[in-house]
Every structure is written in structure tokens, then in C-alpha cells.
Amino acid sequence: MILNRRRAISVVAGFGLATCAPKLTFGAAARLDKQLFGHLPDGRLVELYTMTNRNSAAVAIMNYGGVVVLLKVPDRQGALGDVVLGFDTFDLYPTKSRHFGALIGRYGNRIGKARFTLHGREYELAHNDGENALHGGAQGFEKVLWDARDVSRPGAPALELTYLSKDGEEGYPGNLHAAVTYTWTDANELRLDYTATTDKDTVVNLTNHSYFNLAGEGEGDILAHEIMIDADRFTPVDAGLIPTGELRGVAGTPFDFRKLTAIGARINDADEQLKRGGGYDHNFVLNRRSRIPALAARVREPKSGRIMEVRTTQPGIQFYSGNFLDGSIRGKGGKAYRKRSALCLETQHFPDSPNHPNFPSTILKRNAAYRHTTIYSFSTERA
């Protein structure tokens, strides 16, 4: 069954849009539904996959860019609300998105002067952020159609997306086979398992770029959100937002989030790093790294009572306070996304790591396996 295009490319807040027959059903709740969301210019179908758990909380992901389009979780009163920025229709994502909800690769964040050297050979990348490369280039992983496969198991809807990035794509060496599996649990946890292999040594840094507002997308700014980041150090940046190579202590600076602190408490301090980022747009060096996802950050929104925890196996996390949103983009329901109306917590290796030997290496060897896991967990607190 194929839905007509007009009917398929609208997403409603309650997930009430008619869909193709669910691919799976566990009891009355846990399921994965598929529907048509749009078309690419060459006619290929863009599909939206909605995973719903037994609590009726849900996440919707499309195969174009692996984008998290919707994420509906309860507030302290039990009312479901969408907490990620995005659009109601597919057609805006290729041209208007600021990486909303997208898979980022081959290299998340920035590479200085859009070049790096590997085994004595220099590779030049797309200059899509001034003189630098940003988020994989002009046509990064967020602008490609991934192959989708249902890999659900009883009680846990799951979606696997795979993509072959060919040797030389965006300037990167090696044929890279990438896969990301999204799993949505009854505990309101969104788990992302990333894997990749290559036939030639390359650099890889995959992440997700969801914009969160725990009060609800489009519901004001995030300055009252409180955040904890388990990091004693961060990587300061130059005027182009490229790390200087220093690992600077957070103690005594506006970057000390080792205890829950309101995002707006120090964001306007007279600090050179804040001025360069227009607020927070920095990588934090996580204190704990293990093969089991460790707590990296916690976010609390006082009004709704929603709490988000981020666990990861990665060594860093980019905290971005939505500084470059300016109200020119209208998202779901026509809401204007204004400055600091959302935050990002991108788990990652450090920006510009290929040009900093003292940073954790992002080199993926031929026939080796790249793996990491990040979990976004949602809960509530009482008033």
C-alpha cells in the first residue's frame, strides 16, 4: 500500500496520520510503523519510521539523513510532548534544516582549514564553514538516503540504517560502510549504536545532531534548563571555532557544569570563549570513558519536570546552546525557532582531532571496526 503524496508528507502531533500496516505489534503497544514522507527529485521514496513503546511515548526517524523528526515523551503530569526541533513536512529538510535531528558524518563537528594529513598524504575537504569543514561537508550523511531495515525484537522496536560512503566522497579516503541502529525502549530510552568499516585507512566521527527543548519544541528558550556535564576540562577554540589544542580546566569558568546549573546563569559573562561561540558551542572532555555507556550529561527542565540523561562510550560531548538560530526558520506548526530555543548534546570524538595528535585518535584502520553507543534517556520528576 502506498499513500498518496499529499496525505503522506504531513506529520501530526499525535501521530494520527494513516500509515502502512505496522511491521510489528507487541500486545497493544510496542510497534514500528512505516509511512511515506516524501520523494527525492529522482523519485526515490523518503520514509518515516515511528517507534512507539507501551507507554505511548514515541520517536519518528526518516531514512533521509537518519533524522529524528519527532520525539514525544511525558511531562510530570503524564502529558506527551514533542521535545525535538524539526519540520512537519519533508520538503523543508534538504534546504532549511540546521542539521535538525540528523546523523552527522563522515566527520561530526569541524576540521580546521578543511584538510588533514594521513600517512603523509594531505586530504582536502569541502570548505562549507568559512575556511573549515563542518559536519561531513556540503552533502554529509544528513543529506543522503539510507537503507532501512526493521531489526526489532520483542518489546523493543528498532530500526537499522546503512549507507555506503564511497572512496573520495566529500574528500575522505576509503569505502566506508556505516550503520546506525536506533532502539526505543519501554523505559523511554533512545539508544543509538554506530558501527563502520573501511577498506582504506580513514578518519571517522559519527554523531547525532538533535536539538532539544524539554519544555516542548518551539516553547521559548532553554536558558532556564539546568545542565550537568561530567567533564573537568573542555577544548577552547580560536576565532573560527577550531580547537586550539589546549585541554583547559572548567573550574572557575562559565564552563563548569559539574553540578546542575541553569544554562542562562553565565552565558552572557564577559568570557572570550563565550564571545567566540556566541554562547556555548564547545567540546567537553568527559571524565569517564568505557565500553559501557557512561553518564555524560543530565538536563532538567523545571516547568515540565522532564529530565534527559545522555550516556555514551565517546570521549567528548559538544554542548551547543542554539546560538545561531535567529527566528528565520519556522518549524512544526509554523513556530519560529529563535536564538537559544534549543540545545544540542553531540557525543563525539573531539573536533579537528586529525590535526591534533594529543587528542583521542579518529583514525579507522582498514578492516577494523568503528563502534560506539549513545543513549538518550527521558524521565520526569515531581513538582
Side-chain angles (χ1 to χ4, degrees), residues 82 85 213 216-220 335-337 341:
D82 185 6
L85 271 55
N213 184 326
E217 62 84 27
E219 297 296 325
K335 298 174 184 175
Y337 291 154
S341 61

Side-chain angles (χ1 to χ4, degrees), residues 1-5 7-11 15 17-21 23 32-51 59-70 87-91 93-94 101 103 142 144-150 159-162 182:
M1 172 182 175
I2 298 292
L3 300 176
N4 69 71
R5 185 175 183 184
R7 189 181 183 191
I9 63 174
S10 295
V11 181
F15 293 91
L17 184 65
T19 65
C20 297
K23 297 183 72 177
L32 188 155
D33 300 320
K34 181 176 74 171
Q35 66 193 67
L36 183 64
F37 196 45
H39 296 80
L40 294 180
D42 61 8
R44 287 180 296 166
L45 303 182
V46 177
E47 295 170 326
L48 187 70
Y49 295 82
T50 302
M51 297 185 286
V59 59
I61 297 153
M62 66 173 165
N63 58 339
Y64 177 84
V67 171
V68 177
V69 174
L70 289 168
F87 302 111
D88 291 320
T89 58
F90 166 69
D91 58 296
Y93 278 98
L103 287 179
E142 67 182 289
V144 300
L145 196 68
W146 294 63
D147 293 324
R149 185 168 68 101
D150 174 11
L159 176 71
E160 180 190 67
L161 298 181
T162 57
Y182 303 75

Side-chain angles (χ1 to χ4, degrees), residues 276-329:
R276 287 177 177 176
Y280 297 104
D281 192 6
H282 294 76
N283 170 69
F284 286 75
V285 180
L286 296 174
N287 290 333
R288 292 183 291 172
R289 185 184 180 193
S290 70
R291 294 182 180 180
I292 299 173
L295 182 65
R298 177 181 293 111
V299 183
R300 172 182 177 269
E301 200 286 302
K303 185 177 179 180
S304 68
R306 290 190 181 98
I307 294 172
M308 178 176 74
E309 293 186 339
V310 183
R311 291 176 168 79
T312 189
T313 57
Q314 289 281 62
I317 191 167
Q318 184 85 4
F319 171 35
Y320 171 54
S321 52
N323 315 309
F324 300 119
L325 298 172
D326 60 8
S328 63
I329 294 176

Side-chain angles (χ1 to χ4, degrees), residues 76-188:
R76 62 162 57 94
Q77 304 301 325
L80 291 172
D82 185 6
V83 297
V84 294
L85 271 55
F87 302 111
D88 291 320
T89 58
F90 166 69
D91 58 296
L92 296 175
Y93 278 98
T95 58
K96 298 294 185 182
S97 178
R98 297 285 182 88
H99 318 292
F100 294 152
L103 287 179
I104 303 297
R106 288 189 188 189
Y107 199 97
N109 219 306
R110 295 173 174 87
I111 293 182
K113 301 188 185 302
R115 58 172 55 91
F116 66 92
T117 299
L118 180 62
H119 303 324
R121 177 179 172 181
E122 184 175 87
Y123 293 89
E124 185 162 3
L125 313 172
H127 295 246
N128 66 324
D129 183 49
E131 66 176 0
N132 305 314
L134 175 65
H135 292 330
Q139 299 291 323
F141 283 8
E142 67 182 289
K143 292 185 178 180
V144 300
L145 196 68
W146 294 63
D147 293 324
R149 185 168 68 101
D150 174 11
V151 292
S152 303
R153 58 186 186 277
L159 176 71
E160 180 190 67
L161 298 181
T162 57
Y163 175 66
L164 170 60
S165 176
K166 294 183 179 180
D167 186 18
E169 183 175 285
E170 293 293 332
Y172 291 92
N175 291 298
L176 185 81
H177 292 264
V180 184
T181 299
Y182 303 75
T183 304
W184 182 235
T185 75
D186 286 336
N188 295 344

Side-chain angles (χ1 to χ4, degrees), residues 109 227-237 243 247-251 253-258 266 273-274 279-288 296-297 312 314-321 344-351 360:
N109 219 306
I227 189 168
M228 183 282 296
I229 303 175
D230 186 26
D232 294 335
R233 297 172 294 170
F234 75 106
T235 52
V237 295
L247 304 182
R248 183 180 298 177
V250 301
T253 78
F255 294 83
D256 191 349
F257 290 103
R258 291 174 292 180
R266 300 173 301 215
Q273 285 297 307
L274 289 176
Y280 297 104
D281 192 6
H282 294 76
N283 170 69
F284 286 75
V285 180
L286 296 174
N287 290 333
R288 292 183 291 172
T312 189
Q314 289 281 62
I317 191 167
Q318 184 85 4
F319 171 35
Y320 171 54
S321 52
C344 302
L345 289 168
E346 305 152 62
T347 57
Q348 60 179 14
H349 273 60
F350 305 168

